Amino acid sequence: MDRRHALKGIGLGAIGALGLGKTTPDATAQTYEKATRGLKPLKITKVRAITTSPMSARLVIIKVETSEPGLYGLGCGTYNQRPLTVVTAVNEYLDDFARGRDVDDIEDMWQNAYTSSYWRNGPVLNNALSGLDMALWDIKGKRANMPLYQLLGGRSRFAVDCYSHASGRDFKELEDSVRSKMEQGFRHIRIQLGGYGSSHLSSQPHFKEADFGLASDGHMDSLPYLKATPKMFEHIRSTCGDDIELLHDVHERIRPIEAINLLKELEQYRPFFIEDPLSPEQNGYFKYLRSQTSVPIAMGELFNNPHEWVPLITERLIDFIRVHITQIGGFTPARKLATLAEHFDVRSAWHGPGDLSPVGHAANAHLDMNIHNFGIQESVHFNDAMREVFPGAPTMKNGYMHLPEAPGLGIDINEEAAAKHPFPEHPGYWSPLRRRDGTAVRP
Ligand code: MG
């Protein structure tokens, strides 16, 4: 038997084993109809943005309604620093674009919505696109009656391992914070001495004496931070032991050559990862950083454009990809990014801050549950008001994030409760941070 006939034989055998060997086209259609619970083509009838702020961050949720009464999907388009621009992009442009299109063709929708603005890959339009995209995945999960991670291929782990943030203005305060996180069950803890860049260690903001900038502008000099950070690691390793994983966020803020020197110094403390040692504008420095130190590097929370992450992954210059998935355009591109990263043993550490909505956190967690190259996830902390607005939001237990066993993203929005939490008065921009002489620091 030649190979062609052998394959044909196997194919017929397999069909027979499935009981499909004697099916007629009509019977096959009936089987499909049964298996898909009678799914019929549905159209998008409306796409709209909902704003709410139960915990200070300015959340933007996109709701996609369909031609089936009561069936809708939710997505996250939260861009805390420019939320109303996303609302406009959704209500004035994406709604009209999406109406009447098929809810099931997510890939087609993403590709065409992505290019519908012609210019693309910016944070505002990526967040709007993310809201629409996640909502369509939510709807597909509801139609399949499966949690979203099941649609992706099922679970790779029982829950999502998370890290928590510990901080203190001095070593003792930080140590107490670390111990408290350990008692809560966390095995991965991010340590920061004060705020990002330990700006409280800087003194003499001369620019303020010279009346340069505004009195409210922040001040940070590199040297106090660069001197204190290795000592901070030394203190926590010597007092809290070697069994916990330590993480740290540089948050850009220093020059590339300073970052190279700092990471070399930190290598002896075995950090789990050091985050954002360079700004995205200095991506070209990663190859020099990598050649100087084996400290694991996490990067990407400010990325919007594939050209920012593809070279870092394919040239094996980072260890953790840390994009904010609404900022790259949603679930569809994040899934593809995860697959690319798996081939280069780059693990995920999706950005999961307080200014991501619970819908966005749920999307992170569904990916985390499924992908093989999951690394770590930021833990979530929702107050009662947030949980009232978002029933089904992910929960934490013993350092793990858990999703409800519910179809789609598994999360809903109570719009009446959401309306009780309008945006804060302050528009929400990132305030200037300056060196002693007033030079702007990024960010
Ligand atoms: Mg960060």
Side-chain angles (χ1 to χ4, degrees), residues 163 165 190 192 196 248-252 273 275-276 301-302 322 351 353 378:
Y163 71 89
H165 299 177
R190 194 190 77 172
Q192 306 287 146
Y196 297 124
H248 176 68
D249 189 355
V250 176
H251 220 276
E252 321 178 20
F273 68 53
E275 174 180 345
D276 285 4
E301 76 179 51
L302 283 168
R322 192 163 162 67
H351 192 223
E378 271 180 292

Side-chain angles (χ1 to χ4, degrees), residues 106-137:
I106 302 175
E107 180 67 28
D108 178 69
M109 173 63 84
W110 194 91
Q111 297 295 343
N112 286 298
Y114 176 61
T115 52
S116 71
S117 57
Y118 190 42
W119 278 278
R120 48 201 182 256
N121 295 317
V124 174
L125 299 183
N126 273 0
N127 269 284
L129 180 56
S130 162
L132 171 61
D133 178 71
M134 279 185 199
L136 293 181
W137 280 102

Side-chain angles (χ1 to χ4, degrees), residues 282-297:
Q282 297 298 344
N283 269 0
Y285 262 95
F286 273 101
K287 59 177 178 287
Y288 304 108
L289 177 61
R290 192 65 149 182
S291 68
Q292 293 275 336
T293 174
S294 60
V295 165
I297 299 165

Side-chain angles (χ1 to χ4, degrees), residues 123-234:
V124 174
L125 299 183
N126 273 0
N127 269 284
L129 180 56
S130 162
L132 171 61
D133 178 71
M134 279 185 199
L136 293 181
W137 280 102
D138 188 28
I139 291 168
K140 191 173 284 292
K142 288 173 176 171
R143 270 158 77 71
N145 198 29
M146 289 181 189
L148 188 46
Y149 62 77
Q150 291 290 2
L151 282 183
L152 304 180
R155 300 182 302 171
S156 289
R157 51 199 53 80
F158 79 91
V160 180
D161 206 357
C162 290
Y163 71 89
S164 190
H165 299 177
S167 66
R169 288 175 67 84
D170 57 40
F171 293 155
K172 185 68 179 75
E173 208 175 284
L174 174 62
E175 180 191 329
D176 292 345
S177 178
V178 170
R179 289 189 193 286
S180 148
K181 302 297 179 184
M182 291 168 76
E183 283 164 15
Q184 292 169 39
F186 288 101
R187 296 154 295 275
H188 299 76
I189 300 173
R190 194 190 77 172
I191 53 174
Q192 306 287 146
L193 195 62
Y196 297 124
S198 304
S199 55
H200 67 293
L201 301 178
S202 298
S203 57
Q204 298 177 313
H206 294 160
F207 71 86
K208 292 196 179 183
E209 294 163 20
D211 203 23
F212 183 83
L214 294 183
S216 57
D217 292 351
H219 169 221
M220 177 219 157
D221 287 314
S222 295
L223 186 58
Y225 167 71
L226 293 171
K227 284 163 56 184
T229 302
K231 291 176 186 164
M232 169 187 76
F233 268 88
E234 164 67 30

